[in-house]
Amino acid sequence: MSTTVSCPDYGKVFNDNIHGHILLHPLCVKFIDTPEFQRLRNIKQLGTTYLVYPCASINRFEHSIGVCYLAGQMIEALCRNSGDDINVSPEEKLCVELAGLCHDLGHGPLSHSWERYLKASGVNWKHEESSTEMLKYIIQKYDLEKELKKYGLNVEYHVELICEFIRGEGKLLVANHFLYQVVSNKDNGIDVDKWDYFLRDGNCLNLSISFDYKRLMQFSRVVVDPNSNQPKQVIAFRNKEARNIYDMFRVRSDLHLRAYQHTAVQNTELMWIDVLLKAENYFTIQIPSGTKFGLNEAHTNIEAMSRLTDHILCDIQYSNDPKLEEAKSLLNRLHTRHLYQFIGSYNLIFINKEIYDKSIDVENLKQNLKNELQKQFGIEFGITATWLNCGCPLINPLEKVLFFKKPLCNNTPVILDDTPYQNVYPMNELEFFKRDINVFSKSLKLKDSQLKEIDLACNSFLKDFRP
């Protein structure tokens, strides 16, 4: 995917197929050149999407390098556009770049699909937890403290700052809050992580991406948040970029609808999760000390987690352990395209607007529907949800973006624009906040009469459901 040219005096140049030739800091290269980071070459960025879109086989490795690069570019743009209004030290910029580089270190096999597998196994876990653990593990294992100090980073303070940037929130910086918004923006969802995966994913999915992040960078700056009780600097954008930001969220919605949450992708992910559920009691990960961890326990030990990649699919497929036969059989069914039978998608806007307008527990809704169908028909079902939020449940994210007007001359103070751009660019419910419940039968073949009965039962249940 990428070719590299060593430049020992100032880092390394990577020839990336999305951003071209990009230069990364020498300290970033030290992290890249570890087995734990190289592990990301074997974790697919888009989970089981590659089973539907054949070219969707990009990995977390190249995405992480791209986010690192964009993080640095964003800091440079903000410093250039904001002038003396902000002060970002070289150490703080490097911490933001390292956060971009390491933000996905904790992903499990097939990326977000692993999180959904653990949820199905009764474990509530997010990959960011393991990303910060893996970062600290790499520093300790490869004695990188001296490398950090070489570039002015305090091990205790700056490593924790990097972890806060990965989480998108923290307490170490108050005034320079805008630095938390670069990699993982918890305030309005506009961050360089999205910008990279929009372009990278769109490229491999052969989907056009109209959003222009370079233009948005050029028209960004830092302002004091007027809505904060204490002085806090945040990222704002020129008011003429409201349409560009709207288009960013439209692109996000398009990628989810056409790829990430495509019903066939959800079908393959359901089957993959079931493979893991059938294997989890018999498949273990052993670390050098001899301790073994089950699939749903590996996240509790960072050394075990560092040994998990997409290879577990092949390990299960080619295992001679008779206890894994059921998992192997289902995996073979997935590989030979004998997928679960799709029953239908049920849009809550049309079926039950009352629960659509409420913040409901979708997992509870799915489980209740599954229990009811299995009780009525005596067969196994899989239930998924196409659940779009634009980062905020049923809220137009433009409400949370600060815009500023064009200055009349160079030395005039920044004037914020209080135009309600969420009203200028409203977001259609069906496109930006879609709420579909998707039902699959795990039986190989059902009669038409059975399909009609199940369809009626789904409609009836969802129409009458109350949280």
Side-chain angles (χ1 to χ4, degrees):
M1 180 61 71
S2 302
T3 58
T4 62
V5 181
S6 296
C7 302
D9 294 332
Y10 58 91
K12 184 175 285 188
V13 174
F14 290 76
N15 183 7
D16 181 64
N17 68 328
I18 299 300
H19 305 298
H21 289 83
I22 60 181
L23 174 66
L24 297 188
H25 191 281
L27 185 57
C28 294
V29 177
K30 288 289 184 181
F31 280 87
I32 292 171
D33 293 340
T34 62
E36 286 74 17
F37 191 92
Q38 294 292 319
R39 157 184 175 270
L40 298 180
R41 290 183 185 271
N42 298 309
I43 295 179
K44 286 190 172 56
Q45 166 105 342
L46 301 181
T48 62
T49 306
Y50 79 102
L51 296 173
V52 179
Y53 286 85
C55 293
S57 55
I58 57 174
N59 302 307
R60 287 281 158 189
F61 179 86
E62 50 265 37
H63 166 62
S64 297
I65 288 175
V67 176
C68 176
Y69 166 72
L70 289 184
Q73 292 295 297
M74 186 63 178
I75 296 296
E76 289 178 11
L78 291 172
C79 291
R80 185 170 59 248
N81 300 338
S82 305
D84 295 335
D85 291 344
I86 65 172
N87 180 25
V88 179
S89 68
E91 292 78 19
E92 287 174 334
K93 180 192 175 190
L94 180 54
C95 285
V96 175
E97 291 175 320
L98 283 168
L101 183 71
C102 299
H103 77 289
D104 278 346
L105 274 177
H107 266 297
L110 293 184
S111 295
H112 292 291
S113 297
W114 186 257
E115 288 170 293
R116 288 187 272 272
Y117 150 65
L118 285 177
K119 180 176 283 189
S121 188
V123 178
N124 187 20
W125 172 85
K126 297 293 183 183
H127 75 273
E128 290 88 355
E129 299 173 21
S130 289
S131 291
T132 55
E133 283 186 65
M134 193 76 76
L135 169 68
K136 295 173 182 177
Y137 175 71
I138 290 173
I139 293 171
Q140 181 182 23
K141 182 178 179 180
Y142 300 102
D143 193 23
L144 293 183
E145 290 187 13
K146 57 185 177 182
E147 294 294 332
L148 293 170
K149 292 177 181 177
K150 178 179 176 182
Y151 298 103
L153 300 189
N154 176 284
V155 175
E156 291 184 5
Y157 173 78
H158 285 107
V159 171
E160 186 54 39
L161 185 61
I162 295 168
C163 293
E164 288 192 349
F165 289 156
I166 289 173
R167 300 184 196 106
E169 55 192 0
K171 299 178 180 178
L172 291 178
L173 295 180
V174 178
N176 280 11
H177 176 77
F178 66 92
L179 293 176
Y180 291 102
Q181 297 179 308
V182 175
V183 174
S184 178
N185 192 335
K186 293 290 190 290
D187 297 316
N188 54 41
I190 303 173
D191 54 51
V192 298
D193 178 25
K194 290 184 182 64
W195 296 353
D196 183 83
Y197 80 67
F198 286 171
L199 291 172
R200 205 169 294 280
D201 296 358
N203 182 62
C204 74
L205 292 165
N206 196 28
L207 298 178
S208 298
I209 305 299
S210 56
F211 163 70
D212 186 355
Y213 83 84
K214 291 182 180 179
R215 179 179 173 85
L216 199 55
M217 274 189 185
Q218 293 299 320
F219 292 101
S220 65
R221 64 161 295 135
V222 172
V223 301
V224 176
D225 186 358
N227 304 313
S228 176
N229 294 327
Q230 55 183 330
K232 185 172 76 171
Q233 292 183 310
V234 296
I235 300 173
F237 302 93
R238 264 291 305 279
N239 49 5
K240 66 178 180 178
E241 293 308 299
R243 173 72 199 199
N244 195 16
I245 292 174
Y246 168 86
D247 201 38
M248 184 194 107
F249 286 101
R250 186 202 59 75
V251 165
R252 180 184 186 275
S253 173
D254 200 40
L255 286 168
H256 274 271
L257 289 172
R258 297 175 68 183
Y260 310 151
Q261 298 192 52
H262 188 292
T263 52
V265 173
Q266 293 191 21
N267 195 341
T268 56
E269 185 178 75
L270 263 181
M271 296 185 73
W272 187 77
I273 289 172
D274 282 348
V275 168
L276 296 179
L277 290 172
K278 292 178 185 301
E280 67 180 4
N281 292 328
Y282 314 110
F283 190 97
T284 59
I285 299 93
Q286 183 172 333
I287 61 175
S289 66
T291 306
K292 295 181 179 181
F293 296 87
L295 288 177
N296 60 358
E297 299 172 326
H299 66 282
T300 64
N301 181 279
I302 204 63
E303 197 169 6
M305 196 68 193
S306 70
R307 294 167 178 267
L308 269 180
T309 67
D310 294 355
H311 76 271
I312 63 169
L313 289 170
C314 292
D315 288 348
I316 293 172
Q317 183 179 6
Y318 299 117
S319 172
N320 292 318
D321 187 344
K323 295 177 182 177
L324 290 174
E325 279 305 316
E326 195 175 357
K328 289 173 60 177
S329 176
L330 184 57
L331 186 56
N332 182 65
R333 181 177 162 183
L334 176 60
H335 286 157
T336 55
R337 207 67 180 180
H338 290 90
L339 306 182
Y340 293 154
Q341 189 162 7
F342 179 59
I343 304 295
S345 290
Y346 303 91
N347 193 306
L348 295 181
I349 294 178
F350 301 119
I351 296 176
N352 192 335
K353 192 67 159 62
E354 183 178 337
I355 62 171
Y356 170 84
D357 290 331
K358 294 181 179 178
S359 180
I360 66 170
D361 183 349
V362 65
E363 295 302 320
N364 181 55
L365 170 58
K366 287 159 53 179
Q367 189 60 50
N368 285 343
L369 176 57
K370 182 178 180 179
N371 292 342
E372 181 62 27
L373 292 176
Q374 291 182 171
K375 178 182 173 183
Q376 282 192 47
F377 299 98
I379 57 177
E380 282 194 90
F381 290 90
I383 313 292
T384 66
T386 301
W387 216 256
L388 303 188
N389 282 322
C390 289
C392 302
L394 301 178
I395 295 176
N396 187 324
L398 288 173
E399 289 184 34
K400 297 180 175 292
V401 181
L402 289 179
F403 294 97
F404 61 91
K405 298 179 180 179
K406 181 179 181 179
L408 296 176
C409 58
N410 289 337
N411 296 320
T412 56
V414 176
I415 300 175
L416 295 179
D417 183 358
D418 59 2
T419 302
Y421 285 102
Q422 66 271 20
N423 297 332
V424 178
Y425 301 108
M427 294 185 172
N428 181 280
E429 289 178 333
L430 290 173
E431 182 178 3
F432 291 90
F433 302 102
K434 193 172 186 180
R435 299 282 188 274
D436 278 6
I437 298 298
N438 310 303
V439 180
F440 304 86
S441 165
K442 297 184 181 182
S443 297
L444 278 171
K445 189 67 177 174
L446 293 176
K447 297 178 181 178
D448 289 345
S449 58
Q450 290 176 298
L451 292 174
K452 289 178 182 178
E453 284 184 51
I454 297 170
D455 180 61
L456 287 171
C458 292
N459 274 293
S460 177
F461 177 89
L462 292 171
K463 183 179 179 181
D464 297 333
F465 181 80
R466 296 294 180 271

